[in-house]
Amino acid sequence: MSGTFEPVDLTNCDREPIHQLGAVQPFGFLLAVSSDWIAVRASANLVEFLGIAQADALGRPVASLITPEALHTIRNKLTTLRGSDVERIFGVVLTPGQDRFDLAVHMNEDLVIIEGERCQEARRDSSSLSMRSMMSRLDHTETMEAFFREGARQARALTGFDRVMVYRFDEDGSGEVVAEAARAGIGSFLGLHYPASDIPVQARALYLRNLFRIIADVDAVPVPILPQLDEHGQPLDLSMSVLRSVSPIHIEYLKNMGVGASLSISIVVDGKLWGLFACHHYGPRLPSAQSRSTAELFGQMFASRLESRERRLALDYETKARRIADRLLTAVADNASLLDDPAWLVEALAEAIPADGIGVWINGRLALAGIGPDEKGFAALVRHLNRTAAGRIYAVDRLGDTYPDLEIDDAVAGMLAIPISRSPRDYIVLFRQELVRTVRWGGDPHKPVEYGPNGPRLTPRKSFEAWSELVRGRSLPFSEAERRVAETIRVTLIEVVLRLTDEASMARQTANERQELLIAELNHRVRNILSLITGIIRQSQATSVSLGDYVRQIEGRVQSLARAHDQITRDHWAPASLRQLLLAETAAYLGKNAQRIQMRGEDVLLEPQAFSTAALVFHELMTNSAKYGSLSGTGRGIVELGWSRDDEGNLRIGWREKGGPPVTEPTRHGFGSTIIRRSIPYDLGGKAELRYNKGGLEADFFIPGRYVVGPTSDRSDSAPYGAAAPKAIAGGRQPLSGLSVLLVENNLIIAMDGEDILRRLGAEVATAPSVAEAKEILAGRSFDLALLDVNLGDETSFGIADRLAADGVPFVFATGYGEGITQANSHSDAPVLQKPYTMEGVTDILARIPLPKRQ
């Protein structure tokens, strides 16, 4: 060994190739297989598991090393792999008459990596709790601290390790133990901080790729993988390996802490490494592969719940802060001179973005209030911002370190600069005072380096020894949510107060684009509503017996539709309450006798599409019952109306009429009956069943879970709902006589309206509500023409258009968005029919396209 060594510091750990150590832990074996299934590398302990020496296995087909059934299972599992994922296979017999093995399989460039360990079927170390109940316990925690603590407890129950910590990374890579579950008598690491060097950069990157890491025994002797280098002189990349051996530096680190085994589960939030479940055991420990797989799944579910909580907290803050900011900006818009009053600004912004002081610089004039620099220091700070901030929100929590040449009081440590113009640059700057705090480090992060048994490398600290450090010169950081609120304030101030700046033009352009999008969406929805109402008029006319009956039917259905639309738009087109829908409809029909409808069921919210459909259905049910059923007359008939969700979240609703006149099935089904029977199956892909029992009508409905949100608490709002139907159109010439037309429309009533028009023009019509059903129909028959609604809810009809174009079938797009909606696809030259469907609109579009000659 040379007598001259590279200087040793904490960054040595950052350069260690921990993914290329060339060895595995001895509790399993590794076999690397080429794309033609020849063994090219293997761990030296292969004979202990497969009964064949490593040297004898190399160069042989895998089929000669393991059973055909095992090889078949592995090859099948490889078909499910995506990218660098690891697939696990449990209880596989690799050699006849031998033990069962748990396998982990992944791809490494063109190699298949197979790792195996003996099954621990007799072990009883898995948690008795189901994943569902574990998630429920997490969901019922009220605070983030309780959430972390419950997560640590659950992870310890799953793994059986002596100590389980929830470890959160800071932006600089250092971390803090924010929760802990440990057996009695081993002390606590809760609240300790650890420097970034304890988990080096490349280790954090590996935790992001491979979410699970087990070190079963720190005293175990690593087993080499042979040959060490391939034909290109490269070691095997073990990044995704389950058995990957351990860096000597990390082994020494664990031994210094008295740890005999460790396990880590990555907590990945929004694509970033948020932290770890760090598990320590004070002796060797190897949970079964199935237990480890369950623990890994728990880690992913925990991370998902954590991400949801953090987003919800940020959203709640931003919603509150934006309301405050709106009030501020409204006041400024009415009186721009308020910007010259920094004391008013501090008070106005305090709840939106808490700060201890403020500075305002506009057109060379300045004003200061609270804690902050003096006028000279603030003017110098603005000059620095002009050079570095570049017209964007800029935040620091170590102001003295960022601008060491500025003469600013040490008590001022944090700054958030909000530029509100560009030339000259004007600013609102919020200041935060120094937050003096004591950090308990798990060992002295500044401890001088010592040479250890591993040569010119760092001998790890005994990190279980707490070392306190007083942190000075730093403020509470400005959060991402606070920065987003500051950006809202920046853009709006430019728009309202400084309209002549470049930022104002950019903000106005963004607002115009959003407005155009909103107008297009509104246009689409209005046209759909018009189509619904047109359908109501047509279909009601076809089933009415008198003018008065006709008017009453239209009025009832349109009012129901209006109530539904009012409810779902009240919450900005958000899901709305089923119970409130039913209560409002009941009140509209029964008034003081509303108790004749007996409801039971925990309230749920329905997505807008399902809400409007349900409103139509229950409007017709109540109308029919009031005319002919248990709610008719002044009798004592009742309706029992109940609903519940099944295990998959689907909504099941039952309608039972009792105590009314005898019921018989009608010989002719009118528009109302069609709505009841077909709306939910057609519009939502659900089910509807009607039974005309003598004692009263019974109906059962099934609404798929994707349209259901809840349960929710009762609301005081009144509720919604709606209806629609088409009317007969006078006959005339029939340009579609003898032709077959495919109509693709996802709304039943609008589809019925379109069918009526096309049939009156002579066509034979087939209707589909979705892309999948349209393609299924096209697979079985041919068409002369197709009419395609562009927007089919969660999808568009452009894929159907591609199929029709390939088959040479002419087609017409129908849309409420306007002709521009079709420009985003390859059929921009296709004719566009504006909704709602009318006889005039359809005949006009037909006159402009070449139709096949009648057969």
Side-chain angles (χ1 to χ4, degrees):
M1 183 181 295
S2 171
T4 303
F5 298 124
E6 177 185 355
V8 182
D9 56 40
L10 292 173
T11 64
N12 284 66
C13 297
D14 288 340
R15 296 193 292 273
E16 187 178 22
I18 59 176
H19 63 300
Q20 295 178 341
L21 296 177
V24 295
Q25 298 179 64
F27 66 83
F29 71 88
L30 181 144
L31 188 64
V33 181
S34 65
S35 58
D36 55 353
W37 294 91
I38 303 295
V40 295
R41 284 182 176 177
S43 57
N45 63 349
L46 193 66
V47 67
E48 299 175 22
F49 297 92
L50 298 186
I52 181 171
Q54 176 269 339
D56 295 336
L58 298 186
R60 293 178 57 176
V62 177
S64 68
L65 305 178
I66 61 177
T67 65
E69 294 79 9
L71 180 58
H72 177 73
T73 300
I74 292 171
R75 296 182 74 154
N76 275 349
K77 188 62 81 170
L78 284 174
T79 63
T80 66
L81 278 176
R82 296 294 181 269
S84 60
D85 287 348
V86 178
E87 284 287 356
R88 289 176 171 78
I89 312 171
F90 301 108
V92 180
V93 176
L94 295 181
T95 55
Q98 297 296 319
D99 297 332
R100 290 181 177 272
F101 287 84
D102 294 328
L103 305 180
V105 184
H106 72 276
M107 298 296 299
N108 185 344
E109 296 183 348
D110 57 348
L111 295 179
V112 179
I113 307 299
I114 304 170
E115 298 175 273
E117 59 184 282
R118 288 186 175 87
C119 284
Q120 301 182 47
E121 293 175 326
R123 294 282 294 273
R124 294 290 184 266
D125 56 0
S126 61
S127 172
S128 61
L129 296 175
S130 69
M131 190 61 65
R132 187 170 187 173
S133 65
M134 296 172 76
M135 291 302 105
S136 177
R137 290 172 66 91
L138 283 175
D139 292 340
H140 281 83
T141 56
E142 295 183 358
T143 65
M144 290 298 277
E145 291 77 11
F147 177 80
F148 296 146
R149 186 166 58 250
E150 184 62 32
R153 289 172 179 168
Q154 301 278 16
R156 183 163 184 254
L158 280 172
T159 64
F161 273 63
D162 289 334
R163 185 194 307 276
V164 174
M165 298 167 282
V166 178
Y167 184 82
R168 179 175 59 197
F169 288 111
D170 291 334
E171 290 185 4
D172 61 1
S174 63
E176 178 187 2
V177 178
V178 296
E180 179 184 62
R183 67 174 172 84
I186 60 173
S188 175
F189 291 174
L190 182 62
L192 287 182
H193 289 69
Y194 291 84
S197 56
D198 273 22
I199 302 179
V201 173
Q202 82 277 27
R204 295 196 294 272
L206 200 50
Y207 278 127
L208 192 57
R209 291 184 60 195
N210 193 341
L211 303 182
F212 193 90
R213 173 65 161 150
I214 178 72
I215 301 173
D217 185 354
V218 298
D219 293 320
V221 178
V223 178
I225 299 171
L226 301 174
Q228 289 278 355
L229 304 178
D230 63 12
E231 65 273 19
H232 304 295
Q234 296 298 317
L236 186 63
D237 185 341
L238 296 175
S239 296
M240 302 305 296
S241 169
V242 172
L243 301 173
R244 173 167 50 89
S245 64
V246 191
S247 154
I249 292 179
H250 189 54
I251 288 290
E252 188 178 354
Y253 179 95
L254 293 174
K255 287 182 176 180
N256 278 352
M257 300 178 72
V259 174
S262 77
L263 181 151
S264 300
I265 308 170
S266 302
I267 302 173
V268 178
V269 174
D270 201 19
K272 298 178 182 178
L273 185 64
W274 181 96
L276 303 168
F277 283 104
C279 310
H280 288 172
H281 204 70
Y282 294 95
R285 180 163 181 78
L286 177 62
S288 69
Q290 286 192 339
S291 294
R292 303 199 308 267
S293 180
T294 302
E296 182 178 1
L297 174 60
F298 171 77
Q300 294 176 23
M301 297 289 287
F302 177 90
S304 175
R305 293 297 205 277
L306 174 58
E307 183 171 342
S308 296
R309 282 189 173 230
E310 289 191 335
R311 288 185 175 178
R312 187 167 63 249
L313 288 173
L315 180 61
D316 289 345
Y317 161 73
E318 287 189 57
T319 301
K320 174 185 175 184
R322 287 178 192 277
R323 290 196 192 104
I324 296 168
D326 287 344
R327 292 199 298 268
L328 160 78
L329 299 169
T330 300
V332 171
D334 293 338
N335 183 7
S337 65
L338 288 173
L339 287 175
D340 296 328
D341 184 353
W344 178 86
L345 278 173
V346 169
E347 183 178 349
L349 285 171
E351 290 186 75
I353 309 176
D356 302 302
I358 193 169
V360 180
W361 180 280
I362 297 179
N363 293 327
R365 295 179 290 108
L366 65 86
L368 300 167
I371 294 176
D374 58 19
E375 293 187 0
K376 179 180 178 182
F378 186 61
L381 176 62
V382 168
R383 289 194 295 272
H384 277 279
L385 290 173
N386 285 339
R387 293 197 298 268
T388 59
R392 57 186 173 85
I393 298 294
Y394 183 65
V396 297
D397 58 7
R398 293 179 181 270
L399 189 58
D401 293 345
T402 306
Y403 299 116
D405 55 332
L406 288 181
E407 296 181 2
I408 296 179
D409 192 324
D410 292 340
V412 182
M415 173 196 74
L416 175 66
I418 306 175
I420 55 174
S421 70
R422 200 167 180 179
S423 181
R425 287 185 183 153
D426 297 333
Y427 296 91
I428 293 175
V429 184
L430 303 177
F431 295 104
R432 283 182 177 171
Q433 63 184 342
E434 178 186 36
L435 179 65
V436 180
R437 59 177 180 155
T438 299
V439 175
R440 295 173 61 238
W441 292 99
D444 185 350
H446 311 301
K447 181 180 178 180
V449 173
E450 301 172 0
Y451 286 91
N454 296 308
R457 296 187 295 190
L458 175 69
T459 297
R461 301 173 282 95
K462 293 187 176 181
S463 291
F464 57 89
E465 294 178 351
W467 181 84
S468 295
E469 177 185 27
L470 192 65
V471 178
R472 300 299 303 266
R474 185 173 184 178
S475 74
L476 181 70
F478 290 92
S479 67
E480 285 295 325
E482 289 172 334
R483 297 183 196 190
R484 287 192 292 269
V485 171
E487 177 64 20
T488 299
I489 294 172
R490 184 189 77 86
V491 172
T492 312
L493 275 176
I494 291 171
E495 182 68 29
V496 173
V497 183
L498 308 170
R499 294 181 175 87
L500 301 179
T501 63
D502 292 342
E503 283 88 345
S505 299
M506 294 177 63
R508 194 177 298 112
Q509 179 181 352
T510 302
N512 288 340
E513 291 173 355
R514 290 177 179 172
Q515 186 179 32
E516 289 175 5
L517 181 62
L518 289 173
I519 290 173
E521 179 67 19
L522 179 62
N523 188 30
H524 166 73
R525 289 180 177 170
V526 168
R527 287 179 181 272
N528 261 353
I529 291 294
L530 291 175
S531 295
L532 283 169
I533 294 174
T534 302
I536 288 175
I537 295 171
R538 290 182 178 140
Q539 295 297 330
S540 297
Q541 183 184 35
T543 58
S544 298
V545 296
S546 68
L547 178 60
D549 183 34
Y550 175 49
V551 171
R552 281 190 296 275
Q553 283 188 353
I554 291 177
E555 182 179 24
R557 287 164 178 161
V558 171
Q559 285 177 349
S560 179
L561 177 64
R563 287 194 295 270
H565 191 266
D566 178 65
Q567 182 71 18
I568 55 182
T569 55
R570 184 177 303 161
D571 292 327
H572 307 286
W573 211 255
S577 162
L578 171 64
R579 179 180 291 277
Q580 293 297 334
L581 180 157
L582 298 171
L583 290 174
E585 191 68 45
T586 301
Y589 272 84
L590 300 178
K592 296 180 180 179
N593 296 317
Q595 71 277 5
R596 292 177 67 183
I597 295 187
Q598 300 174 2
M599 301 182 194
R600 68 182 187 279
E602 191 173 15
D603 198 10
V604 295
L605 303 182
L606 297 181
E607 295 290 349
Q609 179 183 352
F611 192 88
S612 295
T613 300
L616 285 172
V617 169
F618 288 104
H619 170 82
E620 296 300 334
L621 279 169
M622 291 188 185
T623 300
N624 288 344
S625 183
K627 286 183 178 180
Y628 315 113
S630 62
L631 300 180
S632 60
T634 59
R636 297 183 179 181
I638 62 168
V639 173
E640 293 180 353
L641 179 55
W643 62 89
S644 63
R645 298 182 73 182
D646 61 22
D647 293 340
E648 297 177 356
N650 305 308
L651 183 64
R652 298 181 183 274
I653 308 173
W655 172 283
R656 302 288 185 267
E657 296 191 19
K658 297 182 179 181
V663 172
T664 58
E665 183 171 359
T667 57
R668 176 178 175 274
H669 291 285
F671 176 58
S673 297
T674 302
I675 289 296
I676 296 170
R677 288 185 296 107
R678 293 188 60 190
S679 286
I680 289 177
Y682 192 97
D683 290 343
L684 308 179
K687 298 176 183 177
E689 180 182 352
L690 268 68
R691 296 180 297 277
Y692 293 90
N693 297 335
K694 185 176 181 180
L697 175 70
E698 293 185 358
D700 290 298
F701 303 99
F702 170 89
I703 297 178
R706 62 180 177 275
Y707 296 107
V708 185
V709 183
T712 181
S713 59
D714 288 340
R715 299 182 173 188
S716 59
D717 320 5
S718 60
Y721 43 126
K727 82 173 182 183
I729 299 174
R733 71 183 187 89
Q734 295 185 314
L736 298 178
S737 177
L739 300 183
S740 180
V741 178
L742 173 63
L743 173 64
V744 181
E745 168 60 62
N746 69 317
N747 183 282
L748 172 63
I749 297 174
I750 299 177
M752 292 170 64
D753 197 20
E755 289 173 354
D756 281 357
I757 294 174
L758 293 171
R759 289 193 178 107
R760 292 185 181 281
L761 293 174
E764 177 187 355
V765 184
T767 306
S770 66
V771 172
E773 292 192 33
K775 290 184 176 179
E776 186 176 339
I777 293 173
L778 286 170
R781 58 182 290 191
S782 60
F783 291 88
D784 301 302
L785 176 67
L787 182 57
L788 310 178
D789 182 19
V790 173
N791 189 330
L792 299 175
D794 295 332
E795 54 186 355
T796 69
S797 60
F798 295 149
I800 307 172
D802 294 339
R803 169 77 175 271
L804 294 169
D807 294 340
V809 178
F811 56 88
V812 174
F813 284 124
T815 179
Y817 279 106
E819 297 194 6
I821 195 67
T822 64
Q823 301 302 313
N825 77 98
S826 57
H827 305 291
S828 57
D829 56 344
V832 177
L833 173 65
Q834 293 296 315
K835 284 186 172 182
Y837 297 124
T838 64
M839 177 65 76
E840 293 76 12
V842 174
T843 54
D844 180 67
I845 204 77
L846 292 177
R848 293 190 279 130
I849 60 175
L851 294 174
K853 295 186 180 296
R854 300 182 185 85
Q855 297 297 320

